[in-house]
């Protein structure tokens, strides 16, 4: 597991929100960092999302605090007050303003934090923090994730470290459930903001586990400048590499998932149409179950393309559907082809590649198969 | 099972498309009937849909032919030619024009009809037909349905008989997979058309099993006038009753389904917003799995409302969420309430009732829970 970049330190602990696993983490920078956040568009967004949006108004953060196993969503004024109290306590310990601490929370909706336990822990917290292991940070933010998700890359003499969690309720609209990036590269807000948004659009905003958009989606990057300036193109490329690696980890760890599904749509009218078609395919329960069953039932891919019924320029007579590099439509498949495709669908990663034959638009979406494991995990999550 | 109305007769047989079960049915009226059809909007609509659209241009039909266990979709010019041949043969036997015979087909996508078997059967078919049992018609159009679906109602001295099939790939955009209505009421096209479209919008267009829109959706009504004129208001009410009964049967027979979920949304800005929110809830895999697990996890209903992120007037502070008549949000539930709700969620029919507190719009959507049965049925459907 990678170490946090220069100048970042973490506090990781178990408050006992649900059990004895780590459920509380604060990552702090020893100097104020340029910061950008993108958040869920949900109309039921949690109070952590509102507070972090406010904290990011000046494009600077000193720390991010995360509580897992409880989303603190739909909890009314009391929930809001509890979140503010956590932020205040963290700010007090770090000796920074409340407005330079972001907060994120993930887990069950509609329950209050167990504030006695939270207060008791916060009163014992001391700075400076000593944690440096990004794996511990990634572990503390997990809910039903089966493993911690971290990725890293170097850019010149600086580095980028990303952590993410998320396995269900995932069709991010602006960001996935929770993902944080820390870098010691020196970047002003004017440079970091467009880079971060572009990277998020092609990575986390391209993943869907189950079409359900979380109330807590939060993606934040902190750049503290401790490693000095970087080449912006190289930085964006490295950030994309880190974010894409995390995106694929999130898709493959989708609840009950056994297969990563990558859907590439090209020659669309524009990128927006390519995204619409790719999302329609990657979200189709019938496509997802056919991949799970290693069944080369390409008719379901055709169905999912056809669902984009407002896209009047999609013409079934020019569409091409491939699994990997094997054309399935319009070419008729031989029994031998079908057997080969069925074998291909047993891989850990499957590519569905659709060409619409209209223009230059393209988009790649990431998802996973739909299995009985998803049903088992979600049929009795709170009870 | 109801008998077909006056003047309608059926031919039901097994061609041997997939096995020895009945897979071919023609329902014919002994006089030309006023007819209305609504069809899938899919960009991969099958050739049966195209042919039936053409047949309905003059708002008249003498017969509907249906082949089940093969959708004849994405089969190119050869598939189109095969469909035309079936229509021609049926028209020849009935001694009517090709253009007065509609055709529908349902089953696996991307395979040709076994035309030798089809031709061999068609050559032995003789009119007039003798079948009168709507149950036999409903049985012959089934694919993975677990039981035939029929419903009927009387209007004055006339009657309406409806049949439907459909268990997966169901989020109708204009109609569900296949449903046909036969009536001996006397109604001109100008009266029948708006009545049929209104009824379909509130019934079949309100059901979703799995968000996947079929390539073969076809709903047709035939009114042959043999029973004489009817009161239009009474007719529409009776037709809605029949269509709603079939809609609920389709939802409850959703692949793997154990629970019918009815989602009622009221006090929306308008009916369109109510429909958007109701569909978002009834289609959420996390809501569906929580109902399956009898888990009163109302936070997932909040999440699904929140997903309608473009509906900026939805305010989480005025939304009310109820299961049956028990308020779950914003009122906090006691442990006793939760136990009672969990018991309620074990019913065969569950109502989720959401008030948005904005205006007068309302809509009711129908769906089903998501179970491991759905995964099992769909992970190896073609193989």
């Amino acid at each position: 597991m990678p170490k946090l970049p220069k100048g970042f330190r973490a506090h990781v602990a178990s408050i006992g929100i649900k059990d004895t696993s780590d459920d509380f983490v604060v990552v702090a920078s020893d100097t104020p960092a340029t910061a950008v956040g993108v958040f869920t568009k949900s109309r039921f967004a949690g109070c952590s999302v509102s507070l972090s949006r406010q904290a990011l108004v000046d494009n600077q953060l000193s720390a991010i605090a995360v509580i897992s196993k409880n989303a603190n969503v739909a909890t009314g004024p009391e929930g809001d007050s509890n979140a503010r109290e956590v932020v205040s306590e963290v700010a007090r310990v770090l000796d920074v303003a409340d407005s330079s601490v972001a907060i994120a929370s993930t887990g069950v909706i509609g329950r209050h934090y167990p504030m006695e336990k939270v207060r008791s822990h916060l009163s014992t917290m001391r700075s400076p923090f000593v944690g440096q292991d990004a794996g511990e940070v990634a572990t503390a933010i997990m809910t039903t994730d089966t493993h911690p998700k971290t990725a890293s890359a170097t850019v010149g003499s600086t580095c980028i470290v990303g952590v993410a969690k998320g396995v269900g309720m995932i069709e991010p609209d602006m960001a996935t459930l929770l993902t944080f990036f820390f870098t010691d590269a020196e970047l002003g807000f004017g440079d970091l903001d467009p880079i971060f948004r572009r990277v998020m659009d092609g990575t986390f905003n391209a993943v869907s586990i189950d079409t359900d958009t979380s109330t807590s989606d939060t993606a934040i990057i902190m750049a503290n400048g401790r490693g000095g300036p970087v080449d912006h193109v190289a930085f964006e490329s490295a950030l994309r590499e880190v974010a894409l690696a995390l995106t694929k980890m999130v898709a493959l760890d989708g609840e009950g998932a056994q297969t990563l599904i990558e859907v590439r749509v090209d020659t669309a009218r524009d990128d927006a149409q390519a995204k619409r078609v790719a999302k329609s395919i990657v979200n189709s329960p019938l496509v997802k179950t056919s991949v799970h069953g290693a069944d080369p039932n390409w008719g379901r891919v055709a169905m999912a393309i056809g669902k984009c019924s407002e896209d009047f320029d999609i013409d079934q007579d020019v569409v091409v559907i491939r699994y990997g590099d094997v054309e399935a439509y319009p070419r008729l498949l031989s029994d031998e082809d079908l057997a080969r495709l069925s074998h291909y669908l047993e891989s850990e990663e499957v590519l569905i590649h659709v060409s619409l034959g209209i223009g230059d638009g393209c988009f790649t979406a990431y998802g996973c198969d739909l299995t009985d494991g998803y049903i088992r995990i979600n049929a009795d999550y709170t009870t």
Side-chain angles (χ1 to χ4, degrees), chain A:
Chain A
M1 294 286 177
K3 282 178 67 174
L4 291 171
K6 210 179 298 172
F8 288 97
R9 285 288 188 284
H11 168 84
V12 177
S14 172
I15 288 180
I17 299 285
K18 188 179 180 183
D19 51 35
T20 58
S21 60
D22 285 347
D23 49 26
F24 181 62
V25 57
V26 183
V27 179
S29 170
D30 59 13
T31 49
T34 306
V36 178
V38 286
F39 300 94
T40 183
K41 287 180 181 163
S42 172
R43 302 299 303 158
F44 260 88
C47 50
S48 304
V49 168
S50 316
L51 278 179
S52 293
R53 278 201 180 106
Q54 289 166 32
L56 281 159
V57 163
D58 63 357
N59 313 320
Q60 279 213 337
L61 283 181
S62 290
I64 299 172
V66 188
I67 290 180
S68 63
K69 282 82 174 175
N70 183 320
N72 194 19
V73 166
T75 45
E78 186 177 336
D80 186 60
S81 158
N82 290 340
R84 285 175 193 276
E85 183 176 336
V86 172
V87 164
S88 277
E89 280 301 291
V90 169
R92 186 187 55 75
V93 169
L94 293 171
D95 195 22
V96 298
D98 288 12
S99 65
S100 62
V101 177
I103 182 168
S105 203
T106 174
V108 66
I109 291 173
R111 300 238 179 115
H112 289 304
Y113 288 152
M115 284 307 288
E116 258 180 63
K117 289 183 185 175
V118 171
R119 284 182 192 120
S120 154
H121 176 77
L122 289 173
S123 68
T124 67
M125 187 169 59
R126 298 287 176 267
S127 71
F129 302 151
V130 293
Q132 289 190 281
D133 181 354
E136 287 180 9
V137 173
T139 303
I141 65 175
M142 297 188 337
T143 51
T144 52
D145 302 61
T146 64
H147 57 82
K149 300 171 182 70
T150 67
S152 63
T154 56
V155 196
S157 62
T158 72
C159 74
I160 305 172
V161 174
V163 299
K165 67 82 52 183
V167 281
M169 203 179 279
I170 294 195
E171 178 165 17
D173 205 2
M174 281 302 283
T176 190
L177 200 45
L178 296 184
T179 184
F180 307 109
F181 300 85
F182 308 101
T183 179
D184 53 351
E186 185 183 327
L187 285 141
F189 178 74
D191 296 316
L192 187 59
D193 185 66
I195 289 174
F196 191 55
R197 289 177 192 277
R198 275 198 298 271
V199 169
M200 287 299 102
D201 274 350
T203 57
F204 279 99
N205 280 348
V207 71
S208 181
I209 301 296
D210 56 7
T211 76
D212 276 343
T213 301
S214 160
T215 49
S216 305
D217 285 351
T218 298
I220 294 177
I221 186 167
M222 288 174 70
N224 69 6
R226 286 286 301 275
V230 287
D231 175 75
H232 290 182
V233 173
F235 181 83
E236 179 163 346
S237 163
L239 182 60
R240 177 168 290 115
E241 181 192 316
V242 171
L244 190 59
L246 290 170
T247 296
K248 290 188 174 188
M249 286 180 212
V250 165
L252 191 50
D253 199 27
E255 286 172 335
Q258 294 173 9
T259 308
L260 171 70
I261 303 177
E262 184 175 332
V263 179
R264 188 183 307 159
V265 174
D266 59 26
T267 60
R269 179 169 72 247
D270 50 33
D271 293 356
Q273 182 184 52
K275 181 173 184 176
R276 212 154 42 235
V277 173
K279 282 288 191 92
S280 180
I281 296 168
V282 88
N283 278 331
S284 158
L286 290 172
V287 171
K288 290 157 71 86
T289 48
S290 66
V291 170
H292 177 49
D295 178 6
N297 192 344
W298 57 267
R300 294 183 181 174
V301 178
M303 175 282 299
I305 299 167
K307 273 206 292 183
C308 300
S309 58
E310 304 295 313
D311 285 283
F312 299 110
D313 50 358
I314 294 179
D315 178 355
Q316 54 177 287
D317 292 339
V318 298
V319 169
V320 178
I321 300 171
R322 301 173 202 83
Y323 288 94
D325 54 6
V326 178
E327 182 178 319
Y329 172 89
R331 192 173 75 94
L332 286 186
L333 292 171
S334 65
D335 284 350
E336 202 177 77
D337 288 333
L338 285 171
R340 200 150 55 96
L341 277 185
S342 179
H343 185 68
Y344 173 68
L345 291 176
E346 284 166 5
S347 325
E348 203 183 50
E349 288 196 28
V350 163
L351 170 68
I352 297 175
H353 179 187
V354 170
S355 299
L356 297 180
I358 304 172
D360 291 332
C362 59
F363 191 83
T364 302
Y366 303 90
C368 60
D369 57 343
L370 176 59
T371 72
D372 43 359
Y374 182 88
I375 311 297
R376 278 199 309 274
I377 290 167
N378 285 302
D380 54 1
Y381 176 65
T382 58
T383 49

